[in-house]
Structure formats: C-alpha cells, structure tokens
Amino acid sequence: MTERQRYPENYEPATAAAARSSTGLESPVIIEGRNLYLAFGDNSVLEDVSFRIREGESLSIVGASGVGKSTILKLVLRLLVPDSGHVLIDGEDINELTFEEVLEVREKMGMVFQAAALFDSLSTFENVAFPLREHMRLPEDEVRERVRHALAMVDLSLDEFGERLPAELSGGQKKRVGIARAIVHQPKILLYDEPTTGLDPVTSRTIVDMIVKLQTELDVTAVVVSHDVKAVMRVSTHIAMLKDRRIIFYGTPDQFANSANPDVREFVD
C-alpha cells in the first residue's frame, strides 16, 4: 500500500448544490478516510476504503449486514483505529491524537444510535441534557432552554415529554429523543446508525423527514448508515456501497438509482 490518495473510480466530490458556494469555490472537506484497512484477527473488515465528505454533504453508507458500515462510524468517532490508513476530521488526523484530544474532536459530533441508546433511569430531559452536563458548564436555565429547543426541533414538547422515562415512550419518540440528544450541543457533524430500523413505515418517513429538516436548518455534515433504500435516496447527497470489504460504488442518488452495477441494482430493486 502507498500513501497516495485513491478514490473509487466514479467518485465525485459533491453535487453542485452541496459542494459549491455562491463564490464558486468548493466547500472544505470535513471528514476524510484515506486507504483504510481494518481486520479483527484473521477477519478482514475493510480494505483500501477511501472517501471524502465536504461541509454540508450527507453521505449514506449502504450494503449487506456485516460488511463494515457501522465500523466506518466507529473509525470516524475514533472508537476504533485502522490497522493502516488515516481518518481526518477538519484536516486533522485523529489516529495520532491523545485521548483528551479525541474527546475534543468528538464534541464536534452528534451520534444517533440504532436503538436510541437512552439511559433507562433518566427522564427525557436528563437524557437530552446529558451531553451538556458532560462537556459544558452552563447555567441551569440555559441547559433547560437548549433542551427545550432541541426537543422542539424533533417535534416534541419539553412540557409534555420532559419528565417521561424511556419506557413511557414509543419507538419513534425514543428515536426523536436520541436525535435531540445528538443535536443539543450544536455539533457540526451528525452520525446516524440505522435511523429507521425497527420503525413502522409511517414513523420511518417521519424520522427521514426530520433528518432532511435538520440537514437544512442546522447545516450539518452527516454520515448515515442504513439499509433503507427510500431513506437513503431522500437524505443523501452521496451514497457509498460496501461489498467484499471495499467501496464498489460512490456517487449521487441519481447515479445510484440508475447504476448498471448488478449489486447496486439488486439493492435498489
């Protein structure tokens, strides 16, 4: 392996709307994976995987179960370190950072977990306030106002839901609370791990609408891991498909929908 950057053959840096400002300049690259290799023992998970995500873009990573989609999220969060290759956030190689420096980088990110991952013993208010209490020193009235605003962004009322425990919430409500917790500290990057899994079609559409709304209103950069074709087509500026430890497709939703690649066609159909 060399250090020369390699990208999939049909890699496009961005759509015209997402990548270029009114001045005609490309937006800065916020997240970059360079020639990532990762194995667990003798089991190779990723081989020579590269990608770039510019400011304001939303990359969806798709593929069959167990191909390494969620592993990429863990690499971006520096929960895992690749055997070789580099992950850069805002141009900074996070593989080389100390634990304390990694915590600072993670403060730029909000993570929406597949099963919401709410704390069972904490109320909705305390769950959403958790990142503020962990990473910031804010007056209590500001904490409450930020939580109120984050819940309102996902169409939940603090007055109605603030004191409810996770056991008192529906699946869709738990997902919304998880999203509110991810955005409450105003991150510049949002990471979604299977955001519609386990939800009925109506609730899934509601969550997808919410992701699109947040992308527009918060102007965040997003990475979405999903197997939901309809969701992926709506929330993405770009789609990467993983198979056999590599990215076999990287392009826009239109290119994905019209690809002649048999693996893409099988996924879409």
Side-chain angles (χ1 to χ4, degrees):
M1 190 198 78
T2 70
E3 288 300 308
R4 179 176 61 84
Q5 180 63 56
R6 296 191 294 279
Y7 292 99
E9 196 171 294
N10 59 350
Y11 174 80
E12 292 189 355
T15 62
R20 295 190 178 276
S21 68
S22 58
T23 61
L25 299 176
E26 286 188 335
S27 302
V29 175
I30 300 298
I31 306 171
E32 184 172 2
R34 294 182 181 174
N35 314 121
L36 298 172
Y37 287 78
L38 180 68
F40 299 119
D42 295 331
N43 180 28
S44 179
V45 180
L46 299 175
E47 294 182 2
D48 201 18
V49 168
S50 295
F51 57 89
R52 284 183 296 184
I53 312 173
R54 294 188 180 275
E55 187 177 58
E57 289 184 354
S58 177
L59 171 68
S60 288
I61 303 173
V62 303
S65 297
V67 296
K69 302 187 301 294
S70 296
T71 299
I72 291 179
L73 291 185
K74 293 176 182 178
L75 289 170
V76 170
L77 282 163
R78 234 294 288 270
L79 296 174
L80 292 173
V81 177
D83 297 317
S84 64
H86 305 275
V87 177
L88 289 81
I89 306 295
D90 280 338
E92 184 174 37
D93 189 340
I94 63 173
N95 297 352
E96 306 300 323
L97 301 183
T98 65
F99 178 73
E100 290 75 18
E101 290 169 334
V102 168
L103 292 181
E104 292 181 12
V105 172
R106 285 179 188 160
E107 289 178 16
K108 301 178 182 181
M109 307 181 195
M111 177 72 196
V112 179
F113 296 92
Q114 180 173 336
L118 302 180
F119 297 105
D120 292 338
S121 60
L122 298 184
S123 67
T124 292
F125 174 82
E126 293 297 338
N127 264 289
V128 178
F130 186 81
L132 301 178
R133 302 202 193 285
E134 280 289 294
H135 305 300
M136 300 180 178
R137 295 181 179 180
L138 299 173
E140 191 58 29
D141 58 345
E142 185 172 348
V143 170
R144 189 165 190 83
E145 190 53 38
R146 288 203 184 195
V147 171
R148 182 185 300 278
H149 179 68
L151 286 172
M153 290 287 290
V154 297
D155 299 330
L156 293 177
S157 163
L158 176 61
D159 295 336
E160 183 179 354
F161 292 93
E163 297 307 313
R164 295 191 191 183
L165 294 172
E168 301 173 290
L169 301 173
S170 68
Q173 289 166 349
K174 288 178 184 177
K175 189 74 74 172
R176 293 189 196 192
V177 173
I179 294 173
R181 183 177 61 186
I183 66 175
V184 72
H185 62 296
Q186 300 169 355
K188 64 187 296 183
I189 297 168
L190 280 177
L191 309 175
Y192 297 90
D193 190 6
E194 298 284 4
T196 61
T197 292
L199 303 178
D200 63 82
V202 173
T203 305
S204 292
R205 284 197 298 271
T206 300
I207 295 301
V208 169
D209 290 343
M210 204 158 288
I211 292 172
V212 173
K213 182 184 81 167
L214 292 175
Q215 195 71 13
T216 301
E217 295 186 6
L218 301 181
D219 194 26
V220 292
T221 302
V223 184
V224 181
V225 164
S226 182
H227 67 278
D228 185 335
V229 177
K230 290 182 179 179
V232 163
M233 297 301 288
R234 286 218 41 215
V235 305
S236 312
T237 61
H238 287 82
I239 299 170
M241 186 169 189
L242 282 175
K243 184 181 181 182
D244 297 331
R245 301 171 296 281
R246 298 174 181 269
I247 292 177
I248 63 166
F249 173 91
Y250 200 127
T252 66
D254 282 346
Q255 290 170 333
F256 189 71
N258 296 296
S259 173
N261 184 308
D263 294 303
V264 174
R265 291 259 45 90
E266 181 180 6
F267 186 86
V268 171
D269 295 339

